[in-house]
Amino acid sequence: MNPREFLAEIGGVPFVDAAFRPKALLTAVALVRRSADPEAHSSLAAYLDPENAKRIFDRHAVSKVEDVAWDELPTAEAASVDGASQLVVGAMPDWRPLFAMPKRYRRMATSTSSTSVLVPQTIYLGPGAFRDEETLRETLIHEHAHIWLNFIAEVYDLQVPGAPNDYVLPSGTDGKTYRGVMFAAHFAAAAAWALSRRRAGGEGGVDERLQYLTRYLEGCLVEMDRRPQGSATGDLVKDALAQRLDELLKEPAHPAETR
């Protein structure tokens, strides 16, 4: 199966394409992990358990990562995460399966949030994530988007071998890979679309953040176009992100139109 056939099989890009089929991608990821370690587990579903996946990565990944210091989420913060997750999927019902995949949360002492490709399906939340409910909602979209795009990257990489790591995000953060810029664009596309749907439903107070995220997505795409280093799969993902940007800019009275 080539990359185009694979994207068609899973229905496109998670958080972007309405036809995306979460179970199809999860099955593909489980098969890749089983291929890497066929004797690890008797059932395919076991390969999607985050702790089982981490053991497989530790045994077989070329790169290694030192885990950040973490604790379990306090009860009150775990309840906040659950509440914010319900608000996200309440506004975006099609995303419910994307928030229901096997994952684990961990509390870190600093920053806002983090995920690592080498610590699969694990979301680290720092104090910044709990600043307010709106921040937590966006943070959860952010990190779930990363996990789902990482799933695609487990099957087919998103950049060509030897791609440089000196790209710059619209925020000014440098030293990024082409893949890293794509991950940032994907998060922005997801978070902006969620805000646009909330605004279309009559909710106010989201225009400023929607404008920022739309411009951020646009900036990421400009950076990727400046030095294209996408694989065949990466190019298909980028095309989907560009389509989502077009849709965002065509929203009636979109705030980005006033820039």
Side-chain angles (χ1 to χ4, degrees):
M1 185 180 297
N2 63 41
R4 186 172 295 277
E5 292 169 336
F6 171 65
L7 263 292
E9 175 67 21
I10 65 172
V13 178
F15 291 98
V16 175
D17 290 308
F20 174 67
R21 300 170 57 221
K23 288 184 180 180
L25 179 53
L26 289 176
T27 298
V29 169
L31 289 170
V32 167
R33 292 173 181 177
R34 186 173 68 179
S35 177
D37 204 332
E39 306 302 321
H41 305 288
S42 58
S43 73
L44 195 60
Y47 285 90
L48 295 173
D49 176 81
E51 187 59 37
N52 292 343
K54 178 63 164 58
R55 293 191 189 101
I56 293 172
F57 278 43
D58 287 345
R59 288 195 292 268
H60 299 285
V62 175
S63 302
K64 305 297 179 184
V65 64
E66 184 174 340
D67 204 355
V68 301
W70 61 274
D71 292 302
E72 298 293 340
L73 279 182
T75 301
E77 291 184 350
S80 295
V81 167
D82 183 64
S85 298
Q86 292 306 313
L87 288 172
V88 171
V89 299
M92 306 292 289
D94 289 349
W95 289 4
R96 190 171 293 277
L98 302 178
F99 269 64
M101 53 76 178
K103 62 180 178 295
R104 56 190 177 182
Y105 291 103
R106 291 175 169 175
R107 182 61 153 85
M108 58 184 183
T110 61
S111 190
T112 298
S113 65
S114 178
T115 53
S116 169
V117 64
L118 295 175
V119 188
Q121 297 155 252
T122 302
I123 296 174
Y124 298 87
L125 297 174
F130 298 95
R131 182 167 59 248
D132 54 57
E133 185 180 84
E134 195 64 37
T135 299
L136 185 54
R137 289 168 72 166
E138 183 177 304
T139 298
L140 293 173
I141 294 172
H142 186 154
E143 301 304 344
H144 280 77
H146 282 353
I147 288 174
W148 279 97
L149 198 55
N150 268 327
F151 283 151
I152 291 181
E154 279 193 57
V155 183
Y156 286 105
D157 200 357
L158 302 173
Q159 67 180 27
V160 297
N165 60 349
D166 58 353
Y167 290 85
V168 182
L169 296 178
S171 61
T173 302
D174 58 10
K176 308 299 289 187
T177 61
Y178 183 90
R179 186 192 303 110
V181 180
M182 184 174 293
F183 270 75
H186 182 241
F187 141 67
W193 191 244
L195 288 181
S196 75
R197 296 306 86 199
R198 287 166 57 187
R199 194 182 71 156
E203 185 172 342
V206 301
D207 281 3
E208 183 176 354
R209 189 61 180 170
L210 175 55
Q211 180 179 14
Y212 172 82
L213 290 166
T214 302
R215 288 180 174 176
Y216 191 94
L217 169 59
E218 185 175 33
C220 288
L221 290 170
V222 167
E223 180 71 352
M224 285 188 281
D225 285 338
R226 188 173 64 84
R227 280 186 300 161
Q229 294 285 319
S231 65
T233 306
D235 287 345
L236 293 170
V237 172
K238 185 170 76 69
D239 289 346
L241 293 171
Q243 177 63 36
R244 177 45 49 87
L245 176 63
D246 287 344
E247 292 165 351
L248 285 164
L249 292 174
K250 290 174 182 175
E251 289 278 299
H254 190 282
E257 295 175 358
T258 64
R259 61 188 167 180

